[in-house]
Amino acid sequence: MALYRDRGVVLRTYKLGEADRIVVMLTRGHGKIRAVAKGIRKTKSRFGGRLEPASHVDLLVYEGRGDLDIVSQAETVDHFAHVRDDLERLGRAVAILEAADQLALEREPNGRLYDMLVGALRTLAGHDAPLVVAGFLLKALALEGFRPQVEACVACGGDGPLVSWAVEEGGLRCAAHRQGPAVSPEAVAVLQDMLGGRLGGALAERRPAVVSEVDHLVVRVFEHHAERRLRSVGALHQG
Ligand SMILES: [Zn+2]
């Protein structure tokens, strides 16, 4: 069996048999992989707690013949202890891991997505920022080629004021072309910061009403895109 080295983030794990787990990881060089960690559920496992969701690890992996590889060694790069110690941050980390899992393709390297994932977890470990999940989702969409238009009305190109989000069309609309859920001026400013290279400014936003509004909008847009993507992948497999 061929061995390879890589670095990855654990997205999720599930039980296999009596003592093993399958660990789903986003790696830098091999895209999303599934690998068996043998004996990991035994008390004296050689993997210890190093392969838990959000763990960032250096890996030595046996390449399997089918979908499943086998983890030979895992060394911690970063355990993100501050994320695990805080339920709110852990919840945000799990949402980020789920989104990365949805977007990543098996055995297709996506270095930008990997870097964004590690960056988002590092940000969370440094300090809690309520909008870190929304920021990750929006930037991940942009990476996929679905960058929402937040600077100008998607109907007329005018710069506003922008008052609603036309989810189907992937962007904001002005008052004359209002369509879709309403968006407050504060939320528009946050969205423009997130996509305009001013993520730090967006992450400083802590007003609960603005945070909640942006969160809901971005999740809705992300889900719309993810469903469409799922359908197109399904159609490809049928065709
Ligand atoms: Zn317009």
Side-chain angles (χ1 to χ4, degrees):
M1 277 172 127
L3 262 176
Y4 64 87
R5 283 184 191 281
D6 208 337
R7 182 170 276 201
V9 174
V10 177
L11 300 175
R12 63 190 156 91
T13 74
Y14 49 97
K15 290 178 185 174
L16 178 72
E18 290 293 307
D20 307 340
R21 267 184 189 281
I22 291 175
V23 185
V24 182
M25 291 176 277
L26 179 61
T27 64
R28 186 156 60 185
H30 294 76
K32 184 160 75 173
I33 62 163
R34 287 164 206 278
V36 181
K38 289 190 173 162
I40 194 170
R41 282 154 60 212
K42 291 182 182 159
T43 18
K44 285 184 179 169
S45 160
R46 64 202 164 98
F47 296 116
R50 294 195 292 278
L51 290 173
E52 287 167 6
S55 293
H56 190 205
V57 282
D58 272 327
L59 296 158
L60 187 61
V61 180
Y62 286 106
E63 192 170 348
R65 290 215 182 102
D67 291 345
L68 272 185
D69 294 348
I70 298 169
V71 184
S72 171
Q73 289 171 28
E75 297 302 330
T76 302
V77 176
D78 202 329
H79 194 58
F80 300 119
H82 292 307
V83 173
R84 286 164 212 286
D85 293 346
D86 174 342
L87 272 185
E88 289 221 337
R89 282 197 245 189
L90 186 60
R92 298 194 219 288
V94 168
I96 289 169
L97 296 173
E98 281 176 4
D101 194 6
Q102 272 186 292
L103 294 178
L105 300 174
E106 302 216 0
R107 301 204 195 275
E108 266 194 40
N110 185 342
R112 294 274 310 280
L113 183 63
Y114 168 83
D115 288 342
M116 277 176 46
L117 174 60
V118 172
L121 293 173
R122 282 201 180 125
T123 301
L124 259 188
H127 62 279
D128 191 18
L131 282 172
V132 72
V133 179
F136 178 80
L137 295 183
L138 267 193
K139 290 175 77 75
L141 281 184
L143 179 64
E144 289 257 302
F146 292 89
R147 185 186 188 283
Q149 169 60 268
V150 297
E151 304 291 341
C153 171
V154 286
C156 70
D159 63 358
L162 302 162
V163 298
S164 74
W165 193 324
V167 177
E168 303 272 334
E169 295 167 32
L172 299 177
R173 279 187 165 218
C174 72
H177 302 107
R178 178 190 294 270
Q179 190 196 74
V183 185
S184 71
E186 293 80 7
V188 170
V190 170
L191 295 168
Q192 290 176 341
D193 276 352
M194 280 179 172
L195 287 168
R198 299 178 299 277
L199 190 59
L203 293 185
E205 177 61 69
R206 289 171 184 277
R207 285 172 290 181
V210 181
V211 166
S212 155
E213 182 185 0
V214 171
D215 257 342
H216 281 94
L217 281 168
V218 170
V219 165
R220 185 162 165 184
V221 168
F222 184 85
E223 282 175 352
H224 173 77
H225 171 69
E227 266 170 40
R228 214 170 44 170
R229 188 170 172 281
L230 217 63
R231 278 200 301 271
S232 68
V233 170
L236 271 177
H237 282 286
Q238 280 160 19

